[in-house]
Amino acid sequence: MSTNPADNFLTGGGVPSAFGKDDPTGTTVAGTVCEPAPTVKQQTDIRDGHPLTWDNGDPKMQLVVTIQTDLRDPQITDDDGRRALYVKGSTKAGCKSMHDAVATAVRAAGAKGLAVGGRLTVQLVGTEPSQTRGFSDRKLWAASYTAPDASAVTGSFLGTAAPVAPQPVAAPAPVAAAPAVPAMTPEQLAAWQAWQASQAPVA
């Protein structure tokens, strides 16, 4: 992790860099993309913060991403765990620059870009000699990304959320049948009717 003044100036909020120049291979930083939203900015010289350009005068650009991590540095006052990632380097597929690693992770997630709420993990996986004499070894990166689930927020309103499986409705408890009344013979029926008639009140 770096607390380089140029990095802090670049992010505008004093957010420490997620990686430092002396981090060993295997160093991993993971967190949720948070505010400020990822922004494309011009790279700056780590020595004095001067904007960098290519030989033809075009500005060297990078994507500055702030992630909320579980990291805490006792040397940083009121460290809230936010770390800045500077996504830059060659755009050539498979070159393992930070740009290539993050772009590959975004494509693998089926996303269009990094979004606030997404989960980003970046790992330093190795180094290789620089092709430019006098420059430090080039760092090699790998990354993974999980896009935020926007459908969870709007899906119910739009009717696009996955339908909830209907819950089985319990069948009502069976009602005990009334005991069957034995059938009467004609003689029994006539006797019963005569008894009913005898019980009728006299006017």
Side-chain angles (χ1 to χ4, degrees):
M1 184 187 67
S2 169
T3 55
N4 185 283
D7 292 345
N8 294 343
F9 171 79
L10 179 65
T11 56
V15 179
S17 177
F19 293 94
K21 66 177 182 178
D22 297 324
D23 287 333
T25 296
T27 300
T28 303
V29 176
T32 302
V33 179
C34 60
E35 298 289 352
T39 306
V40 176
K41 294 184 178 181
Q42 189 170 0
Q43 296 181 37
T44 57
D45 191 308
I46 61 173
R47 294 167 297 182
D48 56 17
H50 256 46
L52 296 178
T53 60
W54 298 104
D55 292 340
N56 64 359
D58 290 341
K60 289 186 175 182
M61 307 304 290
Q62 63 187 343
L63 181 66
V64 182
V65 185
T66 303
I67 60 174
Q68 180 64 58
T69 75
D70 294 329
L71 301 174
R72 297 294 184 273
D73 187 340
Q75 297 182 356
I76 299 176
T77 304
D78 298 326
D79 186 2
D80 60 3
R82 291 191 304 156
R83 296 293 185 267
L85 284 167
Y86 303 98
V87 182
K88 55 189 176 182
S90 173
T91 60
K92 182 180 178 181
C95 71
K96 295 186 178 180
S97 67
M98 177 81 79
H99 184 286
D100 173 55
V102 174
T104 299
V106 169
R107 284 192 292 268
K112 294 182 179 180
L114 297 175
V116 173
R119 179 78 178 176
L120 179 62
T121 301
V122 178
Q123 182 180 48
L124 176 61
V125 295
T127 61
E128 67 178 18
S130 172
Q131 295 181 358
T132 304
R133 186 174 181 179
F135 279 65
S136 301
D137 290 350
R138 189 173 76 88
K139 294 183 177 182
L140 307 178
W141 304 92
S144 63
Y145 178 64
T146 303
D149 186 8
S151 64
V153 179
T154 62
S156 297
F157 175 78
L158 296 175
T160 58
V164 178
Q167 298 299 313
V169 178
V175 178
V181 178
M184 296 183 181
T185 64
E187 292 78 9
Q188 290 173 328
L189 179 60
W192 182 76
Q193 290 174 336
W195 176 82
Q196 271 194 325
S198 68
Q199 300 301 311
V202 179

